[in-house]
Amino acid sequence: MVSCALASAGMSAFADPLGPDAGPLADKPSPDSWRYLIGAGLGVGPTYLGASSTELKFTPYWAIESGRLRLSSGRGNALLAFGRDVGGPGASALLVDRPRFSLSASLRIDSGRSAGDDPALIGLPEVRRTLRLRLAAGYEVAPRWVVGTAISQDVLGRDGGGQFSAWTSVQQHLSPRTQVGVTLGVNGGDARFMRSWFGVPVGSPSGLAAWSPGAGAYQTVLAFDLTRALSPHWLLVGHAQWSRLEGEARRSPVTQRPDAAQASIGLVYRNRP
């Protein structure tokens, strides 16, 4: 199942939960405190970006944080983040933390894409697994309203290319135990990224027409998140997302369905409320 790059921001096939989710129903911890969470969720979504088929997938959520440093999965990172925190999944560090501005860097594994993900990809070149370095900045326009931007780059030179994203995110408490969030954003890539994910080489055994897209925005995303505190340590979390491929990504022969929806629900334990 794919996910969006916003926020996790680089996407491992474009998928992490969107945007800098605020830490649910919690205050920002002191710099020397340890925090962790662990859990799992069940989600449904397309098998790859632009696929017409869907899959049901079980996904673990986990994160551990000390001061400005964090190790996490995509969803775990979003749940452990706090307010303006725009740190990405994988290994991340908060470089600048001001009252209304934050800057972070992260390094994560990008899983790429293979023909085994969907029969429609047979005959297309593999998008190789690589490491992606990401730099992200967030600004708090008003309490619980954040705008952010991020860039990421394949640091192993495996044709993953570069990506960029921009988003705005709003969180609101419905009750002392329930929080909702809405994120609207756009994802884009350089020419190398676009050719790897949406291109078709001349003479491809896939039988698809040749396609060589250039750099540009390729996806808009609207996401909704719901967090319900069942107790000081246990959380019920839900995520729903609608995305639309744009421009040359939408017109690519690889794209079977340009509009996609995905959703997930999970249960999480955190050591600190």
Side-chain angles (χ1 to χ4, degrees):
M1 181 171 63
V2 302
S3 45
C4 170
L6 281 182
S8 71
M11 338 178 202
S12 69
F14 321 35
D16 289 323
L18 282 178
D21 286 324
L25 317 180
D27 295 324
K28 193 169 183 176
S30 61
D32 59 349
S33 66
W34 282 87
R35 297 175 64 87
Y36 71 84
L37 65 80
I38 187 169
L42 192 64
V44 61
T47 53
Y48 71 91
L49 193 63
S52 60
S53 56
T54 59
E55 65 176 344
L56 187 66
K57 188 174 182 179
F58 176 82
T59 304
Y61 305 153
W62 62 272
I64 184 169
E65 178 183 74
S66 177
R68 292 172 176 257
L69 304 178
R70 182 186 302 154
L71 289 173
S72 65
S73 65
R75 188 59 175 149
N77 174 74
L79 292 169
L80 197 61
F82 295 93
R84 306 172 318 282
D85 188 339
V86 292
S92 65
L94 185 60
L95 305 179
V96 178
D97 186 19
R98 298 288 183 263
R100 301 179 70 177
F101 175 79
S102 67
L103 179 70
S104 70
S106 61
L107 186 67
R108 72 172 183 86
I109 296 174
D110 184 332
S111 298
R113 188 189 68 193
S114 70
D117 295 339
D118 192 290
L121 299 174
I122 295 175
L124 291 173
E126 177 185 9
V127 181
R128 294 185 293 170
R129 179 186 294 262
T130 190
L131 283 177
R132 190 167 287 279
L133 178 64
R134 174 180 181 262
L135 188 67
Y139 180 76
E140 188 178 40
V141 179
R144 294 192 171 272
W145 176 19
V146 173
V147 294
T149 185
I151 56 173
S152 71
Q153 180 65 41
D154 167 13
V155 295
L156 298 184
R158 295 183 174 179
D159 295 324
Q163 294 173 266
F164 61 86
S165 61
W167 65 87
T168 182
S169 179
V170 177
Q171 288 87 32
Q172 181 63 49
H173 286 288
L174 298 183
S175 74
R177 289 177 172 266
T178 305
Q179 177 177 284
V180 295
V182 180
T183 303
L184 177 65
V186 60
N187 294 314
D190 64 13
R192 179 168 293 181
F193 172 88
M194 295 291 286
R195 287 194 298 268
S196 292
W197 288 93
F198 301 105
V200 180
V202 175
S204 169
S206 66
L208 299 176
W211 188 256
S212 183
Y218 64 84
Q219 185 188 44
T220 53
V221 181
L222 177 64
F224 301 89
D225 290 279
L226 176 68
T227 302
R228 171 71 177 176
L230 304 178
S231 74
H233 296 284
W234 287 97
L235 303 174
L236 181 66
V237 296
H239 176 79
Q241 175 179 307
W242 174 85
S243 62
R244 173 188 172 94
L245 293 181
E246 308 290 355
E248 292 186 281
R250 186 179 184 87
R251 299 191 297 272
S252 168
V254 180
T255 299
Q256 296 183 327
R257 181 179 296 168
D259 300 327
Q262 59 188 77
S264 65
I265 188 169
L267 186 65
V268 172
Y269 175 85
R270 59 183 180 180
N271 71 318
R272 292 172 183 262

